[in-house]
Amino acid sequence: MAATPADGGLDPVMAFALVGALGVGAQWVAWRLRMPAIVLMLVAGLLAGPVFGIFDPERDIGVLMGPMISIAVAIILFEGGLTLDFHSLRGAEQGVKRLVVVGAPLGWIGSALALHYVGGLSWESAAVFGGIMIVTGPTVIAPLLRQARLNRRPAQLMQWEAIVNDPIGALAAVLAFEVVVVTAAAGSLGHAAWEIIRGITIACAVGYGAGWGLSEAFRRAYVPEYMKVPVLFAVLLAAFAVTDYMLHESGLLTVTVMGIVMANANLPSYTELRRFKEHATILLVSGVFILLAANMDFETLGRLNWQAAVLVAVVVLLVRPATVLLSLLGTNIPFKERLLVGLAGPRGVVLVAVAGLFGERLVANGVEDAAFLTPFAFALVAVTVVLNGFFLAPLARAMGLAGKGTPGVIIAGGSQFATSFAQALLSVNVPVLITDTNRARLRSARDAGLHVFYGDVLSEAAEHSVEIMSYGRVVAVSDNDAYNTLVATDLAPEFGRENVFQLGRLKSDSKRLVLPPDWEVRVLLANSPIWKSPAKWRKAGRCV
C-alpha cells in the first residue's frame, strides 16, 4: 500500500513527480555546471530521502517500487544490448577484443575475490556483484573522453570496452544470480544445473525470436513508422514478462539478447529507434537513481566504513589496472596507453541499477549481506566518476596521451571558401579537418597542406577513421542545403546543438523548395552581408 498525505507521506502522484523533477533536474544542473550528473543525482536522492525524510519510496510508492525498478532495469539493459553492433566491432583494434574476451572474465574473478576477501561479502554476493563491476559505463565515458580529448587509440579502447562490456557485465550478473537462486531452491545439484540451462536456453530463444521477428516486421513494413517505437516497447515488455514468469529474473537475459539481435539486423530505422530509446533511458536512469538513493537509510549507509574505503581503493587501484595490463599483455599497444586505460574506468548507471535490483532479490533469498551492494555501488560510482572527471585529463596530458591546444573544427564540404575558412582557423591555432565525398573538391585543401578526409562525414568509415574526440565543433558548408541540414541535425546530438553550424539556406519564394525551419541549427555568419549578395555568395565558395 502507498502512503497518503494523512499518513505523513507523499501522494503517489506527487512522489512520481518529485522523482522526475529531481532526476531530470539534477541532470540539467550537471550539464549547466559541467559536472558528472551521476554525483548530483546521488546527492539529490540522499537529501530527499534519508537526510530530510521528504521522500520514502517504500512509504510513498509502496509495492509498485519493485516492479518499476525491474522494468526500468530491463529497458536499460535492452538499450545496452542495442549499442552492441558486431559489424562496428570488427574494425576495432586487437586491444578492444582482448579487453572483452580476456578482460571481462579477469575483471569478474578479480572483483569477486576483492569483494569476498577485502569486503567480507559472501561468495553469493561477491559472484553476482563482481559480474556487474566489469561494466565501465558508456554514458559516463563519452563526455569524459570529449573533455579529456585523448589520443585516438586509448580513447577507442575505453569507448569500445564500455559499449561491449555493458551487456556482457549485465549477463554475467544475471547468470551468477540464476546460479545462486536456483541452487538454493533446487533439491540437488543436477536439478539446479537443469533449471539454469533451461532458463538460459528459454531466455536466449525468446530474446532471439523477439528481436528477429521484430526486425523482420520493421524491415518488411508490417509496422508503420509512427508505431515502431510503441510496438518495440510492447514486445520488449511482453518478452521480459513471459520469460521472467517462467524463471525468475531470466527476463533480463532475454531483453539483453533481444537488443543485441536488433543491433545487428541492419535496420534502416535503427538510428531513430536507438535515439528515442536513449531519451527514454535517461528518464528511467534518473528515476532508478533517485529511488535507490532515497530508499537507503543511515543504518545501510553506516556500512560504508573504512573497510568499504579499502575495498574501493583495491578495486580502483589494483583490480582494474591489473585486469587491463594482463588483458593487453603481448599486444603492440604501448605501456603508457595500457596504464592510462587501466587507471581509468568510471562506473555508471547500469552498475547501480543492477546492483540495487539484485541486492534486494538476494536479501529476499536469504543472502543478508547483499544489502551492502547498493550503498557500495553508489560509493564506487561516485569515487570513480569524480576521480576520472578531475584527473583523467591532467593524467593524460602528463603521459603525453591527450590532444593539445584548442578543440578542432570539422568542415563538411570542400570548396575554396572551406579552404580559406580553414586557413583562417589554423592561423589562430585551431585544428581543422575538411571532408567531402568528391575528391576533386578537396584539391585546394590538399594543395594548401590542410588535413582532409575523402568520404562522407556521416559514414561508418568516418566514424572509425576520424579522431572525432579531437574536434569540438562541426560546420556544414557544402553547396547542398539538404546535405548541410542532414549533417547538422545528425551530428547535433553528438556535439551539442550549440556546437554545430551550417550555411544560411538559399532563400526561395516557392514553398516547394524550402526546408522546414525546425531542421535548421545555428547559421554560420548569420549576420554577415555576404548572404545578401548572390555574387559574394559564389565568391565565398558557395558554388564550387
Side-chain angles (χ1 to χ4, degrees):
M1 286 290 293
T4 64
D7 300 324
L10 293 176
D11 178 82
V13 175
M14 183 64 70
F16 287 131
L18 180 63
V19 169
L22 290 176
V24 177
Q27 296 212 37
W28 181 81
V29 172
W31 170 75
R32 293 289 298 177
L33 300 179
R34 297 184 181 274
M35 293 178 59
I38 289 178
V39 177
L40 287 185
M41 286 191 292
L42 172 59
V43 172
L46 291 176
L47 290 177
V51 176
F52 294 113
I54 300 172
F55 175 51
D56 183 349
E58 291 186 354
R59 178 196 67 194
D60 301 330
I61 298 178
V63 296
L64 292 177
M65 180 180 170
M68 285 173 54
I69 293 179
S70 296
I71 293 174
V73 171
I75 296 175
I76 292 171
L77 293 184
F78 172 73
E79 199 274 334
L82 202 60
T83 62
L84 182 50
D85 184 353
F86 292 122
H87 178 69
S88 299
L89 184 61
R90 290 177 201 149
E93 298 182 14
Q94 178 190 16
V96 180
K97 299 175 183 178
R98 293 283 289 272
L99 285 173
V100 174
V101 176
V102 180
L106 282 179
W108 188 358
I109 295 171
S111 299
L113 291 174
L115 288 165
H116 180 70
Y117 289 109
V118 180
L121 295 181
S122 63
W123 281 116
E124 292 86 352
S125 297
V128 174
F129 194 47
I132 196 59
M133 281 175 65
I134 69 176
V135 174
T136 52
T139 57
V140 180
I141 280 185
L144 286 176
L145 292 179
R146 187 167 299 284
Q147 177 187 357
R149 297 178 53 237
L150 302 183
N151 290 349
R152 177 173 178 78
R153 183 159 51 188
Q156 187 184 43
L157 287 173
M158 292 173 59
Q159 186 175 28
W160 275 106
E161 179 199 15
I163 291 174
V164 179
N165 276 349
D166 190 46
I168 289 178
L171 288 176
V174 170
L175 293 178
F177 178 80
E178 293 297 338
V179 171
V180 171
V181 174
V182 174
T183 302
S188 64
L189 184 61
H191 180 62
W194 163 248
E195 287 296 316
I196 293 170
I197 294 173
R198 182 177 69 89
I200 293 174
T201 303
I202 293 175
C204 291
V206 173
Y208 182 86
W212 179 84
L214 205 54
S215 300
E216 287 299 307
F218 287 174
R219 182 178 289 109
R220 298 174 185 272
Y222 294 155
V223 180
E225 288 293 326
Y226 74 93
M227 286 192 65
K228 283 186 176 180
V229 172
V231 169
L232 172 64
F233 272 100
V235 174
L236 169 66
L237 293 177
F240 171 73
V242 168
T243 51
D244 205 56
Y245 175 78
M246 298 176 67
L247 183 62
H248 201 43
E249 304 305 341
S250 62
L252 297 179
L253 176 58
T254 300
V255 297
T256 305
V257 172
M258 178 179 169
I260 294 173
V261 171
M262 295 193 68
N264 294 275
N266 296 321
L267 291 176
S269 56
Y270 169 74
T271 302
E272 290 78 6
L273 291 175
R274 192 176 70 177
R275 185 167 295 167
F276 181 87
K277 280 197 53 47
E278 286 173 351
H279 297 163
T281 302
I282 289 176
L283 295 174
L284 295 171
V285 162
S286 303
V288 170
F289 237 81
I290 298 298
L291 286 173
L292 292 175
N295 197 49
M296 288 194 292
D297 52 36
F298 288 109
E299 181 181 353
T300 304
L301 292 172
R303 300 195 63 177
L304 295 176
N305 51 18
W306 65 268
Q307 190 177 19
V310 173
L311 179 57
V312 171
V314 169
V315 170
V316 174
L317 300 178
L318 180 60
V319 174
R320 167 68 182 176
T323 297
V324 173
L325 292 177
L326 289 174
S327 301
L328 300 179
L329 196 64
T331 63
N332 59 355
I333 300 172
F335 178 78
K336 288 196 302 184
E337 296 185 9
R338 300 184 214 171
L339 183 60
L340 179 65
V341 175
L343 292 175
R347 270 58 173 192
V349 292
V350 174
L351 175 72
V352 173
V354 177
L357 179 64
F358 285 153
E360 178 186 344
R361 300 292 191 270
L362 286 172
V363 170
N365 281 274
V367 185
E368 295 182 0
D369 63 357
F372 176 70
L373 299 186
T374 299
F376 179 72
F378 276 118
L380 182 62
V381 167
V383 170
T384 55
V385 169
V386 170
L387 284 178
N388 282 270
F390 283 103
F391 296 109
L392 180 60
L395 180 63
R397 286 194 295 268
M399 299 175 70
L401 298 176
K404 301 178 181 178
T406 307
V409 177
I410 296 178
I411 300 178
S415 65
Q416 187 57 49
F417 169 69
T419 301
S420 302
F421 185 38
Q423 290 174 320
L425 291 173
L426 283 176
S427 67
V428 291
N429 299 318
V430 177
V432 181
L433 171 70
I434 301 179
T435 72
D436 202 297
T437 56
N438 188 324
R439 189 184 295 274
R441 293 181 178 178
L442 296 172
R443 183 178 305 156
S444 61
R446 287 197 302 270
D447 293 343
L450 299 174
H451 189 198
V452 301
F453 172 75
Y454 167 54
D456 195 328
V457 70
L458 303 179
S459 67
E460 190 172 314
E463 181 180 349
H464 297 295
S465 303
V466 177
E467 295 186 24
I468 297 293
M469 293 298 173
S470 301
Y471 300 92
R473 288 178 172 82
V474 177
V475 179
V477 296
S478 77
D479 60 345
N480 187 320
D481 273 339
Y483 180 71
N484 290 341
T485 301
L486 176 63
V487 170
T489 53
D490 191 78
L491 296 182
E494 174 72 17
F495 286 84
R497 191 165 295 272
E498 70 278 6
N499 296 317
V500 178
F501 300 81
Q502 69 179 96
L503 286 181
R505 297 174 182 160
L506 287 169
K507 304 300 180 181
S508 175
D509 295 331
S510 174
K511 293 184 178 180
R512 298 175 182 271
L513 304 178
V514 179
L515 294 174
D518 57 329
W519 285 7
E520 187 170 295
V521 293
R522 303 182 70 180
V523 177
L524 181 68
L525 304 174
N527 298 321
S528 172
I530 195 171
W531 307 131
K532 301 177 182 179
S533 168
K536 291 182 179 180
W537 182 289
R538 290 179 172 82
K539 185 177 180 182
R542 173 71 181 187
C543 298
V544 181

